[in-house]
Amino acid sequence: MSIAFVLSHINQSTQWVWFSEELIRRKIPHVFIIINPVYPPLADELKALGATVYYLPHRGFFQHIKNLFQVISLLKKHRISVVHSELPMGNLIGQFAARCCFIRARVVTCENTTWAEDFNSSRQQLIDSFAYRSAKKVVALTNEASAYLEKKFNVPAKKLMVIPHSLKQREYEDIGTDRVAELRNSLSISPDDFVIGMVARFEYWKGHRYAVEALHQLSAEFPQVKLHIIGGKGESFAEVMSVVKQYGLQQKVYHHEYVADNKALYHLFDVHLHVPINPLCETFGITIIEGMISARPQVLTLSGISVQTADNEKNCLVVDYCSATAIYKALKKIILDHELGKRLGEQAKLDAIRMFNYNDKVEQHLDMYADLLASSL
């Protein structure tokens, strides 16, 4: 077995780093081909492990054609038997190249379940339709995503597999106070602040606007409360910042595009907030399970993996979609009841350990690859 992972629209991914670590440990040959507008930090992380990584820039139509031929050449060079692709250009070029090389073990992971619908993109619809038809197996990250693909794209149930993102428990344990303090200082967070943390790129469907509006309601009662948003400047950034300015919250809402220690980060949060605006717009939401294993009290809408994990009043507080008032009430409840927050966080950690063991994810993928190779003989 020799595997090529063809990825795009990606900068960092702990999931892929962990997966490569495990493949290296098991001595399974694999290469990463990353198609991105800019060179991703993920490439250097993978190279540091000893993985073989190729970066292919894409800047327009003719670059895509060039990349296709380069991927075909790389698949032949490394005698690849399994192609596993992810995200738009990874899927389009990876699947097309695999077919050109007569590689029958073809896998797609659906990381962008509703993008075509969310952004009314016929181009994305065509790419997704081609990728799901081409693949012999389509990996969905949640049960809801699997049902959506079956209904919207007519992906046969026998072709679908649900394999969620998972966690290495040891990576989130023994987070020293020095690491937390160093990150706190670098982000200029006062120990006296009550920190609401939101790890979410600025996309309209992530619900930032409702978080800011909830903070506006909270700030008069609890002046020590601050909202820290960690994520890239997506299409909704300007709109959300205008709402911040409208409510005069410039000293209460802080944006950090990047943090150096994403595991210590959650230990700065008194509450972890994640409030996408419908059940399917969040494909998975790895931040949800990272908050869980970090034992943070969470305020969540039911979107992505939280549809399966969230147990209201037991491991989180669940709020309505697009409701600043509901978010305000849930946050206030945790602010006023420290024991409630502690209890929610402790149960969330236990649930994360039980549900998201990384070894299970690796075994499911390797079994899937082996089955595909056996069926192609």
Side-chain angles (χ1 to χ4, degrees):
M1 182 190 303
S2 181
I3 312 164
F5 300 104
V6 187
L7 318 175
S8 72
H9 296 76
I10 193 166
N11 286 310
Q12 292 179 302
S13 173
T14 303
Q15 294 290 305
W16 283 121
V17 170
W18 287 344
F19 201 58
S20 185
E21 278 182 337
E22 189 60 26
L23 294 180
I24 290 169
R25 187 182 72 81
R26 298 180 186 218
K27 296 181 171 56
I28 297 174
H30 64 286
V31 300
F32 285 88
I33 303 170
I34 304 176
I35 304 167
N36 240 34
V38 296
Y39 186 84
L42 173 62
D44 287 334
E45 291 183 74
L46 292 167
K47 288 177 181 178
L49 298 175
T52 300
V53 183
Y54 297 94
Y55 164 62
L56 306 181
H58 76 79
R59 303 183 185 92
F61 177 75
F62 291 106
Q63 186 74 53
H64 295 325
I65 295 174
K66 180 180 178 182
N67 286 343
L68 172 62
F69 284 104
Q70 285 186 281
V71 173
I72 291 171
S73 176
L74 290 170
L75 298 183
K76 291 179 178 178
K77 174 183 176 181
H78 290 278
R79 298 182 179 180
I80 296 299
S81 56
V82 178
V83 171
H84 187 160
S85 65
E86 180 179 274
L87 292 167
M89 289 303 111
N91 286 338
L92 179 62
I93 294 176
Q95 291 298 311
F96 202 103
R99 294 176 76 92
C100 290
C101 294
F102 303 101
I103 296 170
R104 299 188 64 185
R106 302 187 297 271
V107 179
V108 164
T109 291
C110 177
E111 283 276 9
N112 54 302
T113 311
T114 63
W115 279 13
E117 188 173 342
D118 293 340
F119 298 101
N120 194 28
S121 172
S122 57
R123 179 172 176 260
Q124 186 63 52
Q125 179 83 18
L126 288 170
I127 293 173
D128 290 345
S129 296
F130 163 73
Y132 303 145
R133 284 198 307 271
S134 173
K136 296 297 184 181
K137 284 291 182 182
V138 176
V139 177
L141 301 179
T142 66
N143 294 332
E144 288 67 32
S146 178
Y148 179 88
L149 294 175
E150 189 173 356
K151 181 179 179 181
K152 182 74 174 180
F153 289 95
N154 298 313
V155 180
K158 65 181 181 180
K159 184 184 277 194
L160 287 159
M161 285 193 68
V162 177
I163 306 178
H165 288 318
S166 296
L167 298 166
K168 286 189 174 182
Q169 182 182 345
R170 60 179 171 77
E171 297 274 342
Y172 294 86
E173 293 183 334
D174 301 322
I175 305 293
T177 56
D178 289 348
R179 281 175 65 182
V180 178
E182 182 179 351
L183 187 59
R184 184 186 296 277
N185 290 336
S186 71
L187 299 179
S188 301
I189 296 176
S190 168
D192 297 325
D193 290 345
F194 185 95
V195 178
I196 301 167
M198 192 173 183
V199 182
R201 178 178 168 82
F202 281 85
E203 307 287 355
Y204 79 92
W205 51 267
K206 292 282 192 180
H208 296 85
R209 181 188 185 98
Y210 306 104
V212 172
E213 290 175 352
L215 181 68
H216 173 61
Q217 297 179 56
L218 279 171
S219 58
E221 299 174 69
F222 307 100
Q224 79 278 22
V225 173
K226 306 291 171 61
L227 173 62
H228 286 260
I229 302 171
I230 297 88
K233 293 181 180 179
E235 45 81 25
S236 70
F237 180 77
E239 178 192 350
V240 173
M241 289 301 109
S242 71
V243 176
V244 170
K245 186 175 181 181
Q246 174 188 335
Y247 289 129
L249 296 173
Q250 294 94 323
Q251 301 305 311
K252 293 185 179 293
V253 178
Y254 300 90
H255 171 233
H256 315 280
E257 199 156 3
Y258 170 79
V259 297
D261 190 342
N262 67 310
K263 297 178 182 67
L265 173 66
Y266 289 89
H267 292 266
L268 297 177
F269 299 165
D270 293 288
V271 181
H272 179 215
L273 181 67
H274 195 69
V275 287
I277 64 174
N278 66 51
L280 285 167
C281 60
E282 182 65 84
T283 300
F284 184 82
I286 195 165
T287 182
I288 297 166
I289 64 175
E290 288 186 319
M292 290 174 70
I293 203 165
S294 301
R296 297 300 92 188
Q298 294 180 306
V299 173
L300 307 171
T301 54
L302 296 179
S303 187
I305 195 59
S306 66
V307 174
Q308 295 169 222
T309 62
D311 192 351
N312 190 37
E313 300 279 355
K314 294 185 178 179
N315 66 4
C316 68
L317 296 182
V318 176
V319 296
D320 293 335
Y321 305 112
C322 306
S323 176
T325 299
I327 296 169
Y328 155 74
K329 289 179 179 178
L331 291 171
K332 182 176 178 178
K333 192 171 185 177
I334 293 174
I335 292 169
L336 293 175
D337 190 344
H338 175 75
E339 287 304 312
L340 170 65
K342 183 179 179 182
R343 186 171 72 251
L344 294 175
E346 288 174 349
Q347 185 59 51
K349 180 175 181 176
L350 292 174
D351 291 343
I353 292 169
R354 173 174 56 84
M355 294 173 158
F356 302 108
N357 184 301
Y358 201 81
N359 286 334
D360 294 342
K361 173 179 175 173
V362 173
E363 292 299 335
Q364 285 177 289
H365 276 89
L366 293 180
D367 288 347
M368 175 180 61
Y369 300 152
D371 288 346
L372 288 173
L373 288 171
S375 65
S376 66
L377 296 177

